[in-house]
Amino acid sequence: MFATITGSLHVGLAAIGSAIGVGIIGMKAAEAVGRNPGASGKILTQAIISSALAEGIIFFAIFLVK
C-alpha cells in the first residue's frame, strides 16, 4: 500500500512541477512578445517546444510508476 501512495505522490509532484514550468514559459513568452512583437513567430516556436518538453516529464513519471 505504501508503494501505491508514493507512486501516486511521484506522479502528482511531476504534474505540479510541469504545470508550474509551462506557466513560467507562457509568462516569459508573453513578456518577450510584448517587448519585441516582430519576433513573435520565433518566440512562439520556442515556447511550444519548451512546453512540450516540460509536459513530457509527466509521461516519464507515469511510466516509472508501473
Side-chain angles (χ1 to χ4, degrees), residues 11-64:
V11 174
L13 290 175
I16 290 171
S18 178
I20 291 171
V22 170
I24 291 172
I25 291 167
M27 177 181 64
K28 293 299 181 177
E31 180 182 339
V33 170
R35 291 179 185 267
N36 189 3
S40 63
K42 291 182 181 180
I43 294 168
L44 178 65
T45 304
Q46 292 296 321
I48 290 171
I49 291 171
S50 300
S51 294
L53 292 174
E55 290 178 2
I57 294 170
I58 296 174
F59 294 115
F60 289 124
I62 290 170
F63 290 135
L64 289 175

mmCIF file of all heavy atoms in Angstrom, residues 11-64:
data_model
loop_
_atom_site.group_PDB
_atom_site.id
_atom_site.type_symbol
_atom_site.label_atom_id
_atom_site.label_comp_id
_atom_site.label_asym_id
_atom_site.label_seq_id
_atom_site.Cartn_x
_atom_site.Cartn_y
_atom_site.Cartn_z
ATOM 1 N N VAL A 11 3.868 10.968 -9.268
ATOM 2 C CA VAL A 11 3.199 11.498 -10.456
ATOM 3 C C VAL A 11 2.584 12.863 -10.164
ATOM 4 O O VAL A 11 2.642 13.771 -10.990
ATOM 5 C CB VAL A 11 2.132 10.511 -10.972
ATOM 6 C CG1 VAL A 11 1.343 11.104 -12.116
ATOM 7 C CG2 VAL A 11 2.770 9.207 -11.400
ATOM 8 N N GLY A 12 2.011 13.025 -8.991
ATOM 9 C CA GLY A 12 1.420 14.307 -8.626
ATOM 10 C C GLY A 12 2.444 15.431 -8.557
ATOM 11 O O GLY A 12 2.199 16.538 -9.042
ATOM 12 N N LEU A 13 3.597 15.144 -7.973
ATOM 13 C CA LEU A 13 4.646 16.163 -7.910
ATOM 14 C C LEU A 13 5.185 16.492 -9.298
ATOM 15 O O LEU A 13 5.496 17.657 -9.590
ATOM 16 C CB LEU A 13 5.778 15.690 -6.996
ATOM 17 C CG LEU A 13 5.448 15.636 -5.511
ATOM 18 C CD1 LEU A 13 6.605 15.038 -4.725
ATOM 19 C CD2 LEU A 13 5.098 17.007 -4.990
ATOM 20 N N ALA A 14 5.287 15.482 -10.159
ATOM 21 C CA ALA A 14 5.728 15.739 -11.532
ATOM 22 C C ALA A 14 4.712 16.601 -12.273
ATOM 23 O O ALA A 14 5.083 17.499 -13.032
ATOM 24 C CB ALA A 14 5.942 14.426 -12.272
ATOM 25 N N ALA A 15 3.427 16.353 -12.049
ATOM 26 C CA ALA A 15 2.388 17.146 -12.707
ATOM 27 C C ALA A 15 2.398 18.591 -12.211
ATOM 28 O O ALA A 15 2.252 19.526 -13.005
ATOM 29 C CB ALA A 15 1.019 16.520 -12.470
ATOM 30 N N ILE A 16 2.586 18.772 -10.915
ATOM 31 C CA ILE A 16 2.642 20.133 -10.367
ATOM 32 C C ILE A 16 3.861 20.876 -10.906
ATOM 33 O O ILE A 16 3.767 22.040 -11.322
ATOM 34 C CB ILE A 16 2.653 20.098 -8.826
ATOM 35 C CG1 ILE A 16 1.300 19.640 -8.299
ATOM 36 C CG2 ILE A 16 3.023 21.459 -8.247
ATOM 37 C CD1 ILE A 16 1.280 19.363 -6.815
ATOM 38 N N GLY A 17 4.994 20.213 -10.929
ATOM 39 C CA GLY A 17 6.207 20.839 -11.451
ATOM 40 C C GLY A 17 6.089 21.192 -12.919
ATOM 41 O O GLY A 17 6.531 22.258 -13.358
ATOM 42 N N SER A 18 5.488 20.300 -13.672
ATOM 43 C CA SER A 18 5.299 20.558 -15.097
ATOM 44 C C SER A 18 4.341 21.722 -15.322
ATOM 45 O O SER A 18 4.574 22.567 -16.197
ATOM 46 C CB SER A 18 4.768 19.305 -15.780
ATOM 47 O OG SER A 18 4.534 19.552 -17.132
ATOM 48 N N ALA A 19 3.270 21.791 -14.557
ATOM 49 C CA ALA A 19 2.316 22.893 -14.700
ATOM 50 C C ALA A 19 2.957 24.232 -14.357
ATOM 51 O O ALA A 19 2.732 25.239 -15.044
ATOM 52 C CB ALA A 19 1.101 22.647 -13.816
ATOM 53 N N ILE A 20 3.771 24.248 -13.332
ATOM 54 C CA ILE A 20 4.472 25.482 -12.969
ATOM 55 C C ILE A 20 5.448 25.868 -14.082
ATOM 56 O O ILE A 20 5.541 27.044 -14.463
ATOM 57 C CB ILE A 20 5.198 25.318 -11.622
ATOM 58 C CG1 ILE A 20 4.185 25.222 -10.492
ATOM 59 C CG2 ILE A 20 6.174 26.471 -11.378
ATOM 60 C CD1 ILE A 20 4.775 24.833 -9.150
ATOM 61 N N GLY A 21 6.149 24.890 -14.624
ATOM 62 C CA GLY A 21 7.090 25.157 -15.713
ATOM 63 C C GLY A 21 6.413 25.704 -16.957
ATOM 64 O O GLY A 21 6.888 26.665 -17.565
ATOM 65 N N VAL A 22 5.289 25.119 -17.339
ATOM 66 C CA VAL A 22 4.558 25.596 -18.508
ATOM 67 C C VAL A 22 4.015 27.005 -18.255
ATOM 68 O O VAL A 22 4.024 27.856 -19.157
ATOM 69 C CB VAL A 22 3.430 24.614 -18.887
ATOM 70 C CG1 VAL A 22 2.519 25.203 -19.938
ATOM 71 C CG2 VAL A 22 4.022 23.313 -19.393
ATOM 72 N N GLY A 23 3.578 27.280 -17.050
ATOM 73 C CA GLY A 23 3.107 28.617 -16.715
ATOM 74 C C GLY A 23 4.208 29.660 -16.821
ATOM 75 O O GLY A 23 3.996 30.763 -17.344
ATOM 76 N N ILE A 24 5.383 29.318 -16.347
ATOM 77 C CA ILE A 24 6.510 30.245 -16.431
ATOM 78 C C ILE A 24 6.921 30.456 -17.884
ATOM 79 O O ILE A 24 7.230 31.583 -18.292
ATOM 80 C CB ILE A 24 7.693 29.734 -15.580
ATOM 81 C CG1 ILE A 24 7.337 29.826 -14.095
ATOM 82 C CG2 ILE A 24 8.967 30.525 -15.878
ATOM 83 C CD1 ILE A 24 8.353 29.173 -13.174
ATOM 84 N N ILE A 25 6.907 29.386 -18.679
ATOM 85 C CA ILE A 25 7.237 29.513 -20.096
ATOM 86 C C ILE A 25 6.250 30.447 -20.791
ATOM 87 O O ILE A 25 6.648 31.329 -21.564
ATOM 88 C CB ILE A 25 7.257 28.130 -20.778
ATOM 89 C CG1 ILE A 25 8.440 27.311 -20.280
ATOM 90 C CG2 ILE A 25 7.311 28.261 -22.299
ATOM 91 C CD1 ILE A 25 8.372 25.848 -20.658
ATOM 92 N N GLY A 26 4.961 30.272 -20.526
ATOM 93 C CA GLY A 26 3.958 31.140 -21.126
ATOM 94 C C GLY A 26 4.095 32.588 -20.685
ATOM 95 O O GLY A 26 3.944 33.515 -21.492
ATOM 96 N N MET A 27 4.400 32.784 -19.409
ATOM 97 C CA MET A 27 4.562 34.137 -18.888
ATOM 98 C C MET A 27 5.735 34.842 -19.563
ATOM 99 O O MET A 27 5.615 35.991 -20.003
ATOM 100 C CB MET A 27 4.786 34.083 -17.377
ATOM 101 C CG MET A 27 5.028 35.428 -16.726
ATOM 102 S SD MET A 27 5.326 35.323 -14.957
ATOM 103 C CE MET A 27 6.850 34.401 -14.903
ATOM 104 N N LYS A 28 6.842 34.161 -19.652
ATOM 105 C CA LYS A 28 8.029 34.768 -20.248
ATOM 106 C C LYS A 28 7.871 34.949 -21.750
ATOM 107 O O LYS A 28 8.406 35.904 -22.321
ATOM 108 C CB LYS A 28 9.269 33.929 -19.931
ATOM 109 C CG LYS A 28 9.626 33.925 -18.457
ATOM 110 C CD LYS A 28 9.932 35.326 -17.983
ATOM 111 C CE LYS A 28 10.317 35.356 -16.528
ATOM 112 N NZ LYS A 28 10.690 36.685 -16.075
ATOM 113 N N ALA A 29 7.149 34.049 -22.420
ATOM 114 C CA ALA A 29 6.916 34.209 -23.853
ATOM 115 C C ALA A 29 6.036 35.434 -24.107
ATOM 116 O O ALA A 29 6.294 36.211 -25.028
ATOM 117 C CB ALA A 29 6.264 32.960 -24.428
ATOM 118 N N ALA A 30 5.005 35.624 -23.301
ATOM 119 C CA ALA A 30 4.153 36.801 -23.449
ATOM 120 C C ALA A 30 4.935 38.083 -23.174
ATOM 121 O O ALA A 30 4.761 39.096 -23.868
ATOM 122 C CB ALA A 30 2.960 36.707 -22.507
ATOM 123 N N GLU A 31 5.816 38.037 -22.190
ATOM 124 C CA GLU A 31 6.646 39.198 -21.886
ATOM 125 C C GLU A 31 7.598 39.504 -23.034
ATOM 126 O O GLU A 31 7.788 40.662 -23.410
ATOM 127 C CB GLU A 31 7.445 38.915 -20.607
ATOM 128 C CG GLU A 31 8.351 40.037 -20.175
ATOM 129 C CD GLU A 31 9.141 39.673 -18.921
ATOM 130 O OE1 GLU A 31 8.712 38.753 -18.193
ATOM 131 O OE2 GLU A 31 10.170 40.315 -18.698
ATOM 132 N N ALA A 32 8.165 38.454 -23.631
ATOM 133 C CA ALA A 32 9.096 38.650 -24.741
ATOM 134 C C ALA A 32 8.392 39.208 -25.970
ATOM 135 O O ALA A 32 8.933 40.070 -26.666
ATOM 136 C CB ALA A 32 9.779 37.332 -25.085
ATOM 137 N N VAL A 33 7.177 38.738 -26.254
ATOM 138 C CA VAL A 33 6.421 39.269 -27.390
ATOM 139 C C VAL A 33 6.025 40.721 -27.126
ATOM 140 O O VAL A 33 6.015 41.544 -28.045
ATOM 141 C CB VAL A 33 5.179 38.395 -27.680
ATOM 142 C CG1 VAL A 33 4.259 39.054 -28.691
ATOM 143 C CG2 VAL A 33 5.609 37.035 -28.196
ATOM 144 N N GLY A 34 5.734 41.050 -25.897
ATOM 145 C CA GLY A 34 5.424 42.431 -25.557
ATOM 146 C C GLY A 34 6.607 43.354 -25.765
ATOM 147 O O GLY A 34 6.455 44.511 -26.164
ATOM 148 N N ARG A 35 7.795 42.851 -25.522
ATOM 149 C CA ARG A 35 8.998 43.666 -25.698
ATOM 150 C C ARG A 35 9.417 43.762 -27.164
ATOM 151 O O ARG A 35 9.954 44.776 -27.592
ATOM 152 C CB ARG A 35 10.157 43.090 -24.884
ATOM 153 C CG ARG A 35 9.975 43.234 -23.404
ATOM 154 C CD ARG A 35 11.161 42.613 -22.670
ATOM 155 N NE ARG A 35 10.957 42.644 -21.250
ATOM 156 C CZ ARG A 35 11.393 43.613 -20.458
ATOM 157 N NH1 ARG A 35 12.021 44.646 -20.973
ATOM 158 N NH2 ARG A 35 11.172 43.562 -19.170
ATOM 159 N N ASN A 36 9.214 42.670 -27.922
ATOM 160 C CA ASN A 36 9.637 42.641 -29.315
ATOM 161 C C ASN A 36 8.579 41.924 -30.157
ATOM 162 O O ASN A 36 8.710 40.728 -30.422
ATOM 163 C CB ASN A 36 10.995 41.940 -29.422
ATOM 164 C CG ASN A 36 11.591 42.053 -30.799
ATOM 165 O OD1 ASN A 36 11.034 42.702 -31.676
ATOM 166 N ND2 ASN A 36 12.737 41.416 -30.986
ATOM 167 N N PRO A 37 7.550 42.630 -30.596
ATOM 168 C CA PRO A 37 6.470 41.992 -31.353
ATOM 169 C C PRO A 37 6.922 41.403 -32.684
ATOM 170 O O PRO A 37 6.301 40.482 -33.202
ATOM 171 C CB PRO A 37 5.466 43.118 -31.583
ATOM 172 C CG PRO A 37 5.788 44.158 -30.592
ATOM 173 C CD PRO A 37 7.250 44.028 -30.313
ATOM 174 N N GLY A 38 7.995 41.893 -33.233
ATOM 175 C CA GLY A 38 8.478 41.397 -34.517
ATOM 176 C C GLY A 38 9.009 39.979 -34.443
ATOM 177 O O GLY A 38 9.071 39.277 -35.456
ATOM 178 N N ALA A 39 9.403 39.543 -33.276
ATOM 179 C CA ALA A 39 9.966 38.201 -33.117
ATOM 180 C C ALA A 39 8.945 37.211 -32.580
ATOM 181 O O ALA A 39 9.318 36.161 -32.052
ATOM 182 C CB ALA A 39 11.163 38.255 -32.182
ATOM 183 N N SER A 40 7.671 37.503 -32.750
ATOM 184 C CA SER A 40 6.640 36.650 -32.135
ATOM 185 C C SER A 40 6.633 35.234 -32.708
ATOM 186 O O SER A 40 6.364 34.282 -31.989
ATOM 187 C CB SER A 40 5.265 37.290 -32.295
ATOM 188 O OG SER A 40 4.922 37.388 -33.660
ATOM 189 N N GLY A 41 6.938 35.068 -33.983
ATOM 190 C CA GLY A 41 6.958 33.727 -34.579
ATOM 191 C C GLY A 41 8.037 32.847 -33.965
ATOM 192 O O GLY A 41 7.789 31.689 -33.622
ATOM 193 N N LYS A 42 9.236 33.393 -33.833
ATOM 194 C CA LYS A 42 10.338 32.624 -33.239
ATOM 195 C C LYS A 42 10.079 32.338 -31.760
ATOM 196 O O LYS A 42 10.373 31.251 -31.266
ATOM 197 C CB LYS A 42 11.647 33.380 -33.400
ATOM 198 C CG LYS A 42 12.126 33.463 -34.829
ATOM 199 C CD LYS A 42 13.442 34.191 -34.918
ATOM 200 C CE LYS A 42 13.901 34.282 -36.358
ATOM 201 N NZ LYS A 42 15.185 34.992 -36.471
ATOM 202 N N ILE A 43 9.524 33.312 -31.066
ATOM 203 C CA ILE A 43 9.230 33.129 -29.643
ATOM 204 C C ILE A 43 8.158 32.065 -29.458
ATOM 205 O O ILE A 43 8.265 31.211 -28.573
ATOM 206 C CB ILE A 43 8.809 34.464 -29.011
ATOM 207 C CG1 ILE A 43 9.982 35.439 -29.020
ATOM 208 C CG2 ILE A 43 8.291 34.259 -27.598
ATOM 209 C CD1 ILE A 43 9.606 36.862 -28.683
ATOM 210 N N LEU A 44 7.125 32.098 -30.295
ATOM 211 C CA LEU A 44 6.050 31.108 -30.205
ATOM 212 C C LEU A 44 6.587 29.699 -30.450
ATOM 213 O O LEU A 44 6.224 28.762 -29.731
ATOM 214 C CB LEU A 44 4.944 31.433 -31.208
ATOM 215 C CG LEU A 44 3.769 30.459 -31.254
ATOM 216 C CD1 LEU A 44 3.012 30.489 -29.938
ATOM 217 C CD2 LEU A 44 2.855 30.786 -32.408
ATOM 218 N N THR A 45 7.451 29.560 -31.438
ATOM 219 C CA THR A 45 8.033 28.245 -31.733
ATOM 220 C C THR A 45 8.821 27.707 -30.542
ATOM 221 O O THR A 45 8.656 26.550 -30.145
ATOM 222 C CB THR A 45 8.953 28.337 -32.964
ATOM 223 O OG1 THR A 45 8.210 28.855 -34.060
ATOM 224 C CG2 THR A 45 9.531 26.987 -33.318
ATOM 225 N N GLN A 46 9.663 28.545 -29.974
ATOM 226 C CA GLN A 46 10.456 28.118 -28.825
ATOM 227 C C GLN A 46 9.586 27.819 -27.612
ATOM 228 O O GLN A 46 9.858 26.878 -26.861
ATOM 229 C CB GLN A 46 11.501 29.191 -28.470
ATOM 230 C CG GLN A 46 12.570 29.348 -29.512
ATOM 231 C CD GLN A 46 13.409 28.106 -29.659
ATOM 232 O OE1 GLN A 46 13.732 27.443 -28.677
ATOM 233 N NE2 GLN A 46 13.763 27.776 -30.881
ATOM 234 N N ALA A 47 8.519 28.592 -27.421
ATOM 235 C CA ALA A 47 7.628 28.354 -26.284
ATOM 236 C C ALA A 47 6.889 27.033 -26.435
ATOM 237 O O ALA A 47 6.715 26.297 -25.459
ATOM 238 C CB ALA A 47 6.637 29.508 -26.143
ATOM 239 N N ILE A 48 6.441 26.707 -27.652
ATOM 240 C CA ILE A 48 5.741 25.442 -27.870
ATOM 241 C C ILE A 48 6.672 24.259 -27.644
ATOM 242 O O ILE A 48 6.288 23.279 -26.994
ATOM 243 C CB ILE A 48 5.123 25.413 -29.281
ATOM 244 C CG1 ILE A 48 3.959 26.393 -29.358
ATOM 245 C CG2 ILE A 48 4.665 24.007 -29.648
ATOM 246 C CD1 ILE A 48 3.416 26.587 -30.754
ATOM 247 N N ILE A 49 7.892 24.344 -28.149
ATOM 248 C CA ILE A 49 8.855 23.248 -27.954
ATOM 249 C C ILE A 49 9.182 23.083 -26.473
ATOM 250 O O ILE A 49 9.210 21.958 -25.948
ATOM 251 C CB ILE A 49 10.130 23.506 -28.780
ATOM 252 C CG1 ILE A 49 9.812 23.382 -30.266
ATOM 253 C CG2 ILE A 49 11.235 22.535 -28.384
ATOM 254 C CD1 ILE A 49 10.932 23.829 -31.178
ATOM 255 N N SER A 50 9.414 24.183 -25.783
ATOM 256 C CA SER A 50 9.740 24.109 -24.352
ATOM 257 C C SER A 50 8.573 23.567 -23.531
ATOM 258 O O SER A 50 8.771 22.783 -22.598
ATOM 259 C CB SER A 50 10.126 25.489 -23.837
ATOM 260 O OG SER A 50 11.248 25.964 -24.529
ATOM 261 N N SER A 51 7.354 23.952 -23.887
ATOM 262 C CA SER A 51 6.180 23.443 -23.173
ATOM 263 C C SER A 51 6.007 21.949 -23.388
ATOM 264 O O SER A 51 5.658 21.213 -22.463
ATOM 265 C CB SER A 51 4.922 24.175 -23.629
ATOM 266 O OG SER A 51 4.980 25.520 -23.262
ATOM 267 N N ALA A 52 6.257 21.491 -24.608
ATOM 268 C CA ALA A 52 6.146 20.058 -24.886
ATOM 269 C C ALA A 52 7.182 19.270 -24.092
ATOM 270 O O ALA A 52 6.877 18.187 -23.562
ATOM 271 C CB ALA A 52 6.310 19.807 -26.380
ATOM 272 N N LEU A 53 8.379 19.787 -23.988
ATOM 273 C CA LEU A 53 9.412 19.103 -23.202
ATOM 274 C C LEU A 53 9.063 19.096 -21.711
ATOM 275 O O LEU A 53 9.294 18.099 -21.014
ATOM 276 C CB LEU A 53 10.771 19.755 -23.428
ATOM 277 C CG LEU A 53 11.359 19.585 -24.820
ATOM 278 C CD1 LEU A 53 12.635 20.405 -24.964
ATOM 279 C CD2 LEU A 53 11.641 18.128 -25.112
ATOM 280 N N ALA A 54 8.506 20.189 -21.225
ATOM 281 C CA ALA A 54 8.110 20.251 -19.808
ATOM 282 C C ALA A 54 6.969 19.282 -19.519
ATOM 283 O O ALA A 54 6.929 18.650 -18.456
ATOM 284 C CB ALA A 54 7.709 21.670 -19.441
ATOM 285 N N GLU A 55 6.032 19.147 -20.455
ATOM 286 C CA GLU A 55 4.919 18.215 -20.248
ATOM 287 C C GLU A 55 5.348 16.763 -20.405
ATOM 288 O O GLU A 55 4.697 15.863 -19.881
ATOM 289 C CB GLU A 55 3.787 18.538 -21.217
ATOM 290 C CG GLU A 55 3.083 19.828 -20.888
ATOM 291 C CD GLU A 55 2.000 20.177 -21.882
ATOM 292 O OE1 GLU A 55 1.771 19.393 -22.824
ATOM 293 O OE2 GLU A 55 1.376 21.230 -21.707
ATOM 294 N N GLY A 56 6.434 16.531 -21.104
ATOM 295 C CA GLY A 56 6.941 15.170 -21.264
ATOM 296 C C GLY A 56 7.404 14.560 -19.952
ATOM 297 O O GLY A 56 7.451 13.336 -19.810
ATOM 298 N N ILE A 57 7.710 15.380 -18.978
ATOM 299 C CA ILE A 57 8.138 14.893 -17.669
ATOM 300 C C ILE A 57 7.033 14.057 -17.024
ATOM 301 O O ILE A 57 7.301 13.064 -16.352
ATOM 302 C CB ILE A 57 8.545 16.077 -16.775
ATOM 303 C CG1 ILE A 57 9.785 16.750 -17.344
ATOM 304 C CG2 ILE A 57 8.782 15.636 -15.342
ATOM 305 C CD1 ILE A 57 10.137 18.054 -16.686
ATOM 306 N N ILE A 58 5.787 14.455 -17.241
ATOM 307 C CA ILE A 58 4.667 13.710 -16.658
ATOM 308 C C ILE A 58 4.624 12.294 -17.205
ATOM 309 O O ILE A 58 4.387 11.330 -16.476
ATOM 310 C CB ILE A 58 3.334 14.432 -16.919
ATOM 311 C CG1 ILE A 58 3.338 15.775 -16.220
ATOM 312 C CG2 ILE A 58 2.161 13.605 -16.447
ATOM 313 C CD1 ILE A 58 2.139 16.625 -16.523
ATOM 314 N N PHE A 59 4.872 12.156 -18.507
ATOM 315 C CA PHE A 59 4.826 10.815 -19.111
ATOM 316 C C PHE A 59 5.931 9.928 -18.556
ATOM 317 O O PHE A 59 5.735 8.746 -18.320
ATOM 318 C CB PHE A 59 4.911 10.908 -20.632
ATOM 319 C CG PHE A 59 3.713 11.581 -21.235
ATOM 320 C CD1 PHE A 59 3.841 12.790 -21.885
ATOM 321 C CD2 PHE A 59 2.457 11.011 -21.136
ATOM 322 C CE1 PHE A 59 2.749 13.420 -22.424
ATOM 323 C CE2 PHE A 59 1.349 11.623 -21.671
ATOM 324 C CZ PHE A 59 1.489 12.841 -22.319
ATOM 325 N N PHE A 60 7.122 10.505 -18.348
ATOM 326 C CA PHE A 60 8.187 9.715 -17.721
ATOM 327 C C PHE A 60 7.794 9.283 -16.317
ATOM 328 O O PHE A 60 8.041 8.142 -15.913
ATOM 329 C CB PHE A 60 9.493 10.511 -17.672
ATOM 330 C CG PHE A 60 10.141 10.694 -19.006
ATOM 331 C CD1 PHE A 60 10.431 11.944 -19.473
ATOM 332 C CD2 PHE A 60 10.470 9.597 -19.785
ATOM 333 C CE1 PHE A 60 11.037 12.114 -20.694
ATOM 334 C CE2 PHE A 60 11.064 9.753 -21.009
ATOM 335 C CZ PHE A 60 11.359 11.016 -21.474
ATOM 336 N N ALA A 61 7.178 10.173 -15.569
ATOM 337 C CA ALA A 61 6.754 9.840 -14.199
ATOM 338 C C ALA A 61 5.699 8.746 -14.204
ATOM 339 O O ALA A 61 5.727 7.831 -13.376
ATOM 340 C CB ALA A 61 6.235 11.086 -13.494
ATOM 341 N N ILE A 62 4.751 8.814 -15.147
ATOM 342 C CA ILE A 62 3.707 7.791 -15.217
ATOM 343 C C ILE A 62 4.297 6.442 -15.573
ATOM 344 O O ILE A 62 3.938 5.413 -14.980
ATOM 345 C CB ILE A 62 2.616 8.206 -16.226
ATOM 346 C CG1 ILE A 62 1.819 9.392 -15.682
ATOM 347 C CG2 ILE A 62 1.685 7.048 -16.534
ATOM 348 C CD1 ILE A 62 0.882 10.018 -16.691
ATOM 349 N N PHE A 63 5.217 6.402 -16.518
ATOM 350 C CA PHE A 63 5.816 5.130 -16.925
ATOM 351 C C PHE A 63 6.723 4.554 -15.838
ATOM 352 O O PHE A 63 6.858 3.336 -15.736
ATOM 353 C CB PHE A 63 6.609 5.288 -18.212
ATOM 354 C CG PHE A 63 5.732 5.538 -19.413
ATOM 355 C CD1 PHE A 63 6.054 6.516 -20.323
ATOM 356 C CD2 PHE A 63 4.595 4.793 -19.632
ATOM 357 C CE1 PHE A 63 5.253 6.749 -21.421
ATOM 358 C CE2 PHE A 63 3.771 5.005 -20.737
ATOM 359 C CZ PHE A 63 4.114 6.003 -21.629
ATOM 360 N N LEU A 64 7.326 5.403 -15.014
ATOM 361 C CA LEU A 64 8.199 4.903 -13.956
ATOM 362 C C LEU A 64 7.420 4.348 -12.778
ATOM 363 O O LEU A 64 7.971 3.599 -11.978
ATOM 364 C CB LEU A 64 9.130 6.011 -13.483
ATOM 365 C CG LEU A 64 10.231 6.423 -14.468
ATOM 366 C CD1 LEU A 64 11.003 7.600 -13.925
ATOM 367 C CD2 LEU A 64 11.156 5.246 -14.738
#
